[in-house]
Amino acid sequence: MNLLQFFRRPRVRSAQQAKERLQVLLTHERGSRGLPDFLPRLQQDLLRVLARYVRIDRESVQMQVEDDGGVFTLEINVELPGGGAPAIHR
Amino acid sequence: MNDTVTARKPLSDSPDLQAFKLRGGSFTLLVVRAGDVTDPGFFSWLEGKVAQAPYFFQDAPMVLDLEGMAEEDTFDFPAVAGLLRKRGLVAIGVQNGTDAQNRAAAEVGLGVFPMWRAAAPISEVSDDMAEQADPEAAVERSHGRGRDEHPRGPSRVIEEPVRSGRQIYARNSDLVVLSTVSPGAELFADGHIHVYGPLRGRAFAGVGGNHAARIFCRSFDAELVAIAGHWRVREDMDDALIGKPVQIFLAEDQVIIAPDA
Amino acid sequence: MPKIIVMTSGKGGVGKTTTSASFAAGLAMKGHKTVVVDFDVGLRNLDLVMGCERRVVFDFINVINGEAKLHQALIKDKRLDNLYILPTSQTRDKDALTKDGVARVLETLKQDFDYIICDSPAGIEKGAYMALYFADEAVVVTNPEVSSVRDSDRILGILASKSRRAEMNLDPVREHLLLTRYDADRVRQGEMLAVDDVLEILAIPLMGVIPEDEAVLRASNVGVPVIMDERSGPAQAYADAVGRFLGETIEHRFLIPERKGFFQRLLGRPA
């Protein structure tokens, strides 16, 4: 340790920062659990995966959730392009 | 989930047909495996299942799996369909029927589904998890029980390394692997298995019950080897054989691992 | 009354399998008949850590699918009489775990064992869900590190809402915190969350603190649960944790840096 370091102001310890960040974050997260907010992310993920194999645009993947008297149905429609796309092996 | 493919091109050059589209769809269907649909117990069992999740079954199209009905060549299809309809189910086809059964089903307007898609029974429809086991994998993992068929197809040749977690099954034939088989990988063949790279995973030859099947390998380091359902684990193998060329066969229900000069 | 205990964490790499192996061995050493079940389908590792990978023929998934009997798949530990391992499959995926199938196997195990340890996979997907669903008690394995603490909090939320006990309005799953890879030196320097910080955030009883120690790696290299390397810090800490789990009152150790002797200081490394 050199003299300069010795005279520097004491830093906030990183563990203390970690604790404070966690406290704020978890208070927020505990409140917002269980919301069906995954649809946009699912759509993004699907697009990303499909795009690896076929040329596809955003409108090609449509999804909706229907509440059918207690039964939730997730419907996903994928429209594949007609020609010019690489072959897909099933 | 169902995916829809839209045919962008019209079916013929006639402009009148522009309005029509041919769409292929794949749908998840209920498959009801009936032990015996003429048994009244079947319908009370079915009622119990429907009562567990009435919405799920409401007007649900279903396929009747006739596997358990081998002897009953013809039964009253329209009556059975009517009884199913009363429980809210719409029979649209049959599966695993005999030729006579398939004809009878087709006559009353039911579809005939291919045999090889036999689905695993659904045990708990209210469960939110998909509970479908892969029927092919189940066959592959049956460790030698079942049919006693001898290989007849062309050998299956695998050129690339077989990584951990992969299963390869050569149905009714020999399996030839040119590269490495990693620990945790599994080879199955109704016939012989030949491995030209190091064999570090598991190998099951003669899984259909062929006691004469053998395993040949250039560099032996297997976790487990089995012939027609008889196996030996690594712990029971002679360490002196590790890394050596060997051939493995069955003699009086004992798995023999012999050095191959 | 047999008990099902899940080893869970949310985050990967925090020491669930190490803990499962040592905790199960610890219970067996205390005379309880114990089985440890690998729920990490497709990434089979428990058998390696327990050193019985050369004896696996059938597995948990074979039993669920009716391809093998439970007694064919159970592997008896060679070192401890009361300890058994139920390995998982390397070639299937988590979908092979059906709720019915898992329930059936656990129910059968309950007839023979005092404790059933479920080694959960990382994540909050199906495998982890199946491992925790039937639990009576949960050991939440956490590292003193922000992402691990956050994931543990998430898992505690799932235990409280999605477990069988929660769904059936039974007494809640009993939760225990096990802090692993704890480095008292770095805590003292303010670079690592302290036990008290983690306890304050997660607010569940502390079952033990396992010090960061090379003995853990050494044990997994040779396929022995680290609790059996009796002179090592982690072994003593795991033994203490098992004792506390069984209701003994044991003072926590390894919370303050080891005082180094003159020669160790001189050599600059711990003995």
Side-chain angles (χ1 to χ4, degrees), chain C residues 10 29 52 69 109 117 152 161 167 196 201 216-217 234 250 267:
Chain C
M29 286 154 98
C52 63
K69 295 260 187 284
L109 287 172
I117 312 290
S152 293
S161 61
E167 280 184 1
D196 291 338
I201 292 166
V216 173
L217 177 62
I250 300 168
L267 295 167

Side-chain angles (χ1 to χ4, degrees), chain A residues 11 13-19 21-23 25-26 29-30 33, chain C residues 145-146 149-150 153-154 157 189-193 197 200-202:
Chain A
R11 290 175 297 149
R13 295 297 188 189
S14 65
Q16 184 60 33
Q17 283 182 313
K19 183 182 173 187
R21 286 173 66 214
L22 270 170
Q23 280 169 328
L25 182 75
L26 292 181
E29 282 184 350
R30 283 168 186 160
R33 246 167 222 163
Chain C
E145 185 256 323
V146 283
V149 174
R150 180 197 208 178
D153 191 73
R154 182 90 169 87
Q189 288 158 23
E191 290 172 2
M192 185 182 261
L193 286 167
D197 297 338
E200 190 185 327
I201 292 166
L202 294 179

Side-chain angles (χ1 to χ4, degrees), chain C residues 94-203:
Chain C
K94 312 284 193 259
D95 288 336
L97 292 171
T98 64
K99 206 185 253 180
D100 273 358
V102 173
R104 224 167 35 237
V105 174
L106 291 181
E107 213 41 58
T108 318
L109 287 172
K110 271 183 158 182
Q111 290 165 15
D112 268 330
F113 290 94
D114 304 323
Y115 291 103
I116 300 158
I117 312 290
C118 302
D119 183 23
S120 171
I124 51 173
E125 313 303 323
K126 188 168 185 183
Y129 172 70
M130 284 295 160
L132 68 78
Y133 182 76
F134 296 97
D136 301 306
E137 314 221 3
V139 174
V140 179
V141 182
T142 307
N143 290 168
E145 185 256 323
V146 283
S147 56
S148 174
V149 174
R150 180 197 208 178
D151 290 356
S152 293
D153 191 73
R154 182 90 169 87
I155 279 289
L156 286 165
I158 292 171
L159 279 165
S161 61
K162 300 268 177 68
S163 64
R164 188 186 72 96
R165 283 179 167 272
E167 280 184 1
M168 304 210 152
N169 281 321
L170 304 171
D171 292 338
V173 176
R174 222 175 113 206
E175 300 154 339
H176 310 266
L177 178 67
L178 189 78
L179 212 52
T180 55
R181 314 198 64 166
Y182 195 76
D183 187 333
D185 264 320
R186 298 184 65 193
V187 171
R188 194 182 55 179
Q189 288 158 23
E191 290 172 2
M192 185 182 261
L193 286 167
V195 187
D196 291 338
D197 297 338
V198 180
L199 278 175
E200 190 185 327
I201 292 166
L202 294 179

Side-chain angles (χ1 to χ4, degrees), chain B residues 129-246:
Chain B
M129 299 285 179
E131 293 200 341
Q132 285 162 340
D134 178 0
E136 288 208 351
V139 171
E140 291 180 6
R141 287 294 294 250
S142 62
H143 288 271
R145 279 174 282 118
R147 305 147 298 133
D148 198 11
E149 273 175 31
H150 289 277
R152 46 171 185 263
S155 298
R156 189 166 171 195
V157 180
I158 306 292
E159 297 190 18
E160 71 279 8
V162 184
R163 304 284 181 199
S164 179
R166 231 184 121 190
Q167 281 182 316
I168 294 178
Y169 179 27
R171 197 184 297 270
N172 294 328
S173 75
D174 294 349
L175 176 60
V176 181
V177 179
L178 304 182
S179 187
T180 314
V181 179
S182 298
E186 295 182 341
L187 306 179
F188 297 85
D190 286 320
H192 308 302
I193 294 177
H194 308 253
V195 182
Y196 291 90
L199 169 58
R200 303 199 175 101
R202 301 167 152 225
F204 302 77
V207 294
N210 179 4
H211 285 63
R214 294 185 178 217
I215 300 168
F216 306 88
C217 64
R218 285 252 178 101
S219 174
F220 177 74
D221 195 4
E223 293 174 316
L224 180 149
V225 289
I227 311 270
H230 301 271
W231 70 79
R232 237 161 115 171
V233 292
R234 177 56 176 266
E235 195 166 72
D236 307 325
M237 297 173 190
D238 182 357
D239 278 342
L241 294 169
I242 304 306
K244 301 281 187 332
V246 301

Side-chain angles (χ1 to χ4, degrees), chain B residues 5-17:
Chain B
V5 181
T6 306
R8 288 267 165 84
K9 285 180 186 156
L11 290 174
S12 89
D13 292 336
S14 160
D16 296 339
L17 287 178

Side-chain angles (χ1 to χ4, degrees), chain B residues 36-56:
Chain B
D36 183 353
V37 289
T38 56
D39 181 355
F42 165 66
F43 284 100
S44 55
W45 169 82
L46 191 62
E47 271 164 19
K49 284 284 166 196
V50 173
Q52 279 176 14
Y55 289 110
F56 182 83

